Amino acid sequence: MKPLSGLRILEFDGLGPVTFAGMVLADLGADVLRLTRGAGAGAPVFAEVGGEVLHRGRSSVAVNLKDAGDRDAILELVGVADGLIEGFRPGVMERLRLGPDVCAARNPRLVYGRVTGWGQTGPKAAEVGHDINYIALSGALHPMGEPDRPPRPPLNLIGDYGGGAMMLVTGVLAGLIEARRTGAGRVVDAAMTDGSALLMSLFHALSGRGLWRGERGANLLDGGAPFYRCFTCRDGRFVAVGALEPQFYSALLAGLGVNEDEAPQYDMANWPGLHARLEAIFASRDRDDWAAVFEGTDACVTPVLTLAEAPHHPHNAARNTFAAGRALQPAPAPRFSGANGSPEPQGASLSVAEALASWR
């Protein structure tokens, strides 16, 4: 048994955060049913983004949301569901007559989770956009990248997944707890602008105290500190250094053969020179040589592994951080005592009748 075993979630298939949120909920044990576009409804642009990884652990039903019969069947599923997640632009579900009010009339306990870039309200709510746009407006993108170049997108991790999907999951789970106590569901409005802004809370706090400068690459955690950044090694690969605390910084310098008296940690005026010195030292040996030097020390130095390398690192292998299957993939996280932590395969494609029968 997993923590969410017994919970039923309807997922209106989409891209980005909804798909990831559905995967996380299924990994935690929820019975998640993906409602996908039927052939008569027109194929989505990216039909199988994520495939057996992001779609794992749940079955699917092909429906036409504009068909009255399929819409009635969906409302039957809504009547026995605990939660629903969707990522359409504001107003789409209402026009399909599947909005929160209609669904609440069928099932007052339903938690209705919505994730969008701009949110359900506000001047930009109806506009299109992508992860990069949402984190740009929230202030999360500006600190990313090199000081003399434009900001560099941090993949789609901050907007789609951190600020979108994980805030949606958090909101849905909070709503489900409340619904069990009160008998009334909620509508969850998870906006990637809101979520990515929230992820920047620490940096707003530091800025308010005068401890964070507006320039990229000039601060403690953005690569400005020579003891918290990545370095290129002789073989063109990289190591990550995170020696923030003084004792860890001492271990770093010891491994590099640098006299600590010559390299005071928080003398920011000397950071440019220390950057150059450490760059030259790290460039003198291969990445895995440095990994061996610092293995088992408190220097907080690790190799920067590629997607292909990461599953084979001894720590990841020992913890089964990645799982084999039709596709090598990250295992579910977090872990729970007494629960199977292996990912479930992608489920079958069901008919509407089969889906209704399985949930009755």
Side-chain angles (χ1 to χ4, degrees), residues 323-347:
R326 290 182 58 194
L328 186 67
Q329 58 193 281
R335 305 177 187 202
F336 296 87
S337 59
N340 177 14
S342 300
E344 300 292 335
Q346 187 173 354

Side-chain angles (χ1 to χ4, degrees), residues 3-331:
L4 299 187
S5 294
L7 284 174
R8 295 169 170 175
I9 306 291
L10 277 179
E11 172 193 343
F12 284 80
D13 195 34
L15 300 176
V18 147
T19 306
F20 189 82
M23 183 195 75
V24 171
L25 290 166
D27 284 348
L28 294 174
D31 184 357
V32 181
L33 183 66
R34 287 176 54 231
L35 300 180
T36 66
R37 290 193 190 186
V45 178
F46 302 109
E48 277 299 315
V49 172
E52 61 265 34
V53 178
L54 289 178
H55 293 160
R56 69 192 186 195
R58 53 225 201 261
S59 298
S60 61
V61 177
V63 294
N64 183 346
L65 298 180
K66 297 181 180 179
D67 179 84
D70 281 4
R71 190 165 54 247
D72 289 343
I74 291 169
L75 287 173
E76 287 192 58
L77 289 167
V78 165
V80 293
D82 298 291
L84 175 158
I85 56 175
E86 61 95 0
F88 297 115
R89 289 166 68 181
V92 170
M93 290 291 278
E94 285 80 357
R95 290 194 294 273
L96 292 168
R97 299 197 298 279
L98 291 168
D101 291 346
V102 173
C103 291
R106 183 61 66 98
N107 180 358
R109 298 173 61 92
L110 184 77
V111 176
Y112 197 111
R114 323 189 80 172
V115 59
T116 57
W118 308 115
Q120 297 296 314
T121 61
K124 298 182 74 66
E127 295 183 13
V128 297
H130 285 292
D131 179 292
I132 191 171
N133 307 115
Y134 311 136
I135 67 174
L137 205 71
S138 73
L141 179 59
H142 186 270
M144 307 291 177
E146 299 298 320
D148 56 348
R149 299 182 63 82
R152 183 176 293 275
L155 303 180
N156 65 328
L157 299 177
I158 293 179
D160 276 352
Y161 293 155
M166 296 310 294
M167 295 299 173
L168 176 64
V169 169
T170 301
V172 167
L173 294 180
L176 290 169
I177 293 171
E178 182 188 43
R180 291 199 165 187
R181 186 180 72 249
T182 67
R186 290 250 196 180
V187 178
V188 179
D189 177 5
M192 287 177 247
T193 45
D194 298 345
S196 57
L198 182 64
L199 293 175
M200 297 296 290
S201 297
L202 169 64
F203 306 100
H204 282 277
L206 293 174
S207 179
R209 296 174 58 191
L211 299 176
W212 190 268
R213 297 165 60 187
E215 308 97 304
R216 282 186 299 283
N219 299 283
L220 187 62
L221 301 176
D222 64 356
F227 46 86
Y228 197 89
R229 54 161 289 191
C230 295
F231 291 92
T232 305
C233 301
R234 182 174 59 189
D235 55 3
R237 296 188 288 180
F238 312 98
V239 292
V241 176
L244 287 173
E245 290 80 0
Q247 67 272 29
F248 302 155
Y249 181 66
S250 296
L252 168 67
L253 296 186
L256 296 175
V258 174
N259 186 329
E260 192 166 353
D261 292 337
E262 301 172 358
Q265 184 173 12
Y266 283 99
D267 184 353
M268 297 180 67
N270 288 326
W271 277 7
L274 187 54
H275 274 290
R277 186 174 182 184
L278 298 190
E279 283 173 346
I281 294 173
F282 275 113
S284 69
R285 302 178 68 167
D286 291 349
R287 182 198 69 179
D288 292 345
D289 291 341
W290 286 118
V293 167
F294 289 107
E295 182 68 29
T297 73
D298 288 339
C300 301
V301 176
T302 50
V304 177
L305 302 180
T306 66
L307 290 177
E309 291 175 316
H312 305 292
H313 187 275
H315 181 80
N316 294 332
R319 285 185 57 81
N320 297 315
T321 299
F322 295 86
R326 290 182 58 194
L328 186 67
Q329 58 193 281

